[in-house]
Amino acid sequence: MIEWGNTQADPDTFRAAMGRVVGSVTVVTTRHDDRPWGMTVSAFSGVCLEPPTVLVCVDHRSVTAADIRRESRFAVNLLSQDQVAVSRLCSRVGTVKFVDDHVVAGGELPDGVTSPVLRDSLVTFDCEVAEARPMGSHFVVFGRVRVVLAPRSRCPLLFGQGRYQRSVDIEEVPAMTEAGT
Amino acid sequence: MIEWGNTQADPDTFRAAMGRVVGSVTVVTTRHDDRPWGMTVSAFSGVCLEPPTVLVCVDHRSVTAADIRRESRFAVNLLSQDQVAVSRLCSRVGTVKFVDDHVVAGGELPDGVTSPVLRDSLVTFDCEVAEARPMGSHFVVFGRVRVVLAPRSRCPLLFGQGRYQRSVDIEEVPAMTEAGT
């Protein structure tokens, strides 16, 4: 018999289960007091190809949520392994998250980009808000992608199980089908 | 100067950029003709903790979308490395995706679980539909989590850049900040 343990769908159990999931580190950038601001989000998805649409979930009390609602623009930056420092900055709770030192200079950006772009990102999607709807403690923000920035291949920065991680092809490492704990 | 390449937000460019993103392999399971059915989805996110809520995006023409709309129930299975076979089955386009051979027997499930649960999953969330809304070619389905199944730690199965992958701690492998291509 399988020992299921605690199966209650309370916030703590749900949080612990979600903590096992490994995913790309994603920072949403906005303009705040006319400076670039970045916040790590735990939820990012592509939604559909036609029209190119993504979504992010942001705490409705966050600076980022207020910026997005005011400006109707934001960028989604999928981070690379060159960006651990900015990832740490943007994931601190309750601190200022200005990212002036980590963005591509305005003069270097292609025409049409309106939100801050983090340097060395795997991919950045510059987006216009298509819709933002409340869901519990968060806003689910749907973004119509206006500009795709993916200048070259980089290694994605992952996070899960409490740690920064990188991915390797399954064949590359001897099979380990159980985690250590 | 950065060479940005193609920055147009057309479906092909967007698809190519999304292809660089590495994420957990996620299968949505439903009941179809009273049998378990599973489809890999490219979009899964936790939304908020209170109440515990997740979302998935499913092509509105898919069997899975019809099942979800009819039953108002589905499960989200985050796959482990023990599940490459069922992952391949559930990601085939245009084929039947019955997963009878890959589910936990009903008698082994805890009380209250209503959707099929894939054996050896990292985590399964049994959900009730909170809301389903169309967005382009897809439905965005919000699920209220009713049961959390995460009996023990397993190694997550990842997919990205066209390949199945696994994650390792960043410290575990010498830094490689550039992919091969």
Side-chain angles (χ1 to χ4, degrees):
Chain A
M1 282 299 284
I2 301 168
E3 302 217 0
W4 292 105
N6 180 11
T7 63
Q8 300 294 311
D10 57 76
D12 286 346
T13 307
F14 178 60
R15 188 205 311 264
M18 283 300 296
R20 294 201 185 167
V21 180
V22 173
S24 299
V25 179
T26 308
V27 171
V28 171
T29 43
T30 52
R31 298 207 72 81
H32 184 70
D33 287 346
D34 209 29
R35 291 172 60 189
W37 180 275
M39 181 181 74
T40 306
V41 294
S42 54
F44 160 77
S45 291
V47 176
C48 60
L49 293 173
E50 302 199 33
T53 305
V54 297
L55 69 79
V56 294
C57 301
V58 296
D59 190 308
H60 68 76
R61 296 160 306 184
S62 63
V63 166
T64 298
D67 291 343
I68 290 174
R69 301 190 79 187
R70 188 182 63 249
E71 305 284 341
S72 289
R73 298 296 299 236
F74 63 101
V76 181
N77 304 264
L78 284 298
L79 299 199
S80 75
Q81 288 181 52
D82 300 327
Q83 294 173 291
V84 172
V86 70
S87 170
R88 290 190 199 281
L89 167 63
C90 297
S91 59
R92 282 188 208 130
V93 176
T95 60
V96 296
K97 299 184 183 67
F98 288 116
V99 289
D100 307 67
D101 294 343
H102 300 275
V103 296
V104 177
E108 287 199 86
L109 289 172
D111 288 347
V113 175
T114 60
S115 293
V117 173
L118 294 181
R119 206 167 47 231
D120 300 333
S121 296
L122 179 73
V123 179
T124 300
F125 297 118
D126 190 44
C127 299
E128 191 171 325
V129 173
E131 187 180 323
R133 64 177 323 304
M135 181 65 66
S137 56
H138 281 60
F139 279 109
V140 181
V141 183
F142 294 90
R144 191 64 37 86
V145 178
R146 294 304 185 195
V147 183
V148 175
L149 300 170
R152 56 179 187 161
S153 188
R154 292 176 183 278
C155 280
L157 181 63
L158 307 178
F159 189 85
Q161 309 183 330
R163 301 182 296 273
Y164 285 109
Q165 302 194 24
R166 67 186 292 270
S167 61
V168 294
D169 288 2
I170 275 193
E171 294 72 18
E172 204 173 300
V173 170
M176 286 177 55
T177 54
E178 289 296 308
T181 53
Chain B
M1 282 300 285
I2 301 168
E3 302 218 359
W4 292 105
N6 181 10
T7 63
Q8 300 295 311
D10 56 74
D12 287 345
T13 307
F14 178 59
R15 187 205 312 263
M18 284 299 297
R20 292 201 186 169
V21 179
V22 173
S24 299
V25 179
T26 308
V27 172
V28 170
T29 42
T30 52
R31 298 207 71 81
H32 185 70
D33 288 345
D34 209 29
R35 291 173 61 189
W37 180 274
M39 182 181 74
T40 306
V41 295
S42 55
F44 159 79
S45 291
V47 176
C48 61
L49 292 174
E50 301 199 36
T53 305
V54 297
L55 68 78
V56 294
C57 301
V58 295
D59 190 307
H60 68 76
R61 298 161 305 184
S62 63
V63 165
T64 298
D67 291 343
I68 289 175
R69 301 190 79 187
R70 188 183 61 249
E71 305 283 342
S72 289
R73 299 294 300 234
F74 64 100
V76 181
N77 304 264
L78 284 300
L79 299 199
S80 76
Q81 287 180 53
D82 300 325
Q83 295 174 291
V84 171
V86 69
S87 170
R88 290 190 199 281
L89 168 62
C90 297
S91 59
R92 283 187 208 131
V93 176
T95 60
V96 295
K97 300 184 183 70
F98 288 116
V99 289
D100 307 66
D101 294 343
H102 300 276
V103 296
V104 178
E108 287 200 85
L109 288 172
D111 287 346
V113 175
T114 59
S115 293
V117 173
L118 294 181
R119 206 167 46 232
D120 301 333
S121 295
L122 179 72
V123 179
T124 300
F125 297 118
D126 190 43
C127 299
E128 191 171 325
V129 173
E131 189 180 321
R133 64 178 321 309
M135 181 65 66
S137 57
H138 280 59
F139 279 110
V140 181
V141 183
F142 295 90
R144 191 65 36 83
V145 178
R146 295 303 184 195
V147 184
V148 174
L149 300 170
R152 58 179 188 163
S153 190
R154 292 177 182 279
C155 280
L157 180 65
L158 306 178
F159 189 84
Q161 309 184 329
R163 300 182 296 273
Y164 284 108
Q165 303 194 24
R166 66 185 295 268
S167 62
V168 294
D169 287 3
I170 275 194
E171 293 74 17
E172 203 174 302
V173 170
M176 286 177 55
T177 53
E178 288 296 309
T181 53

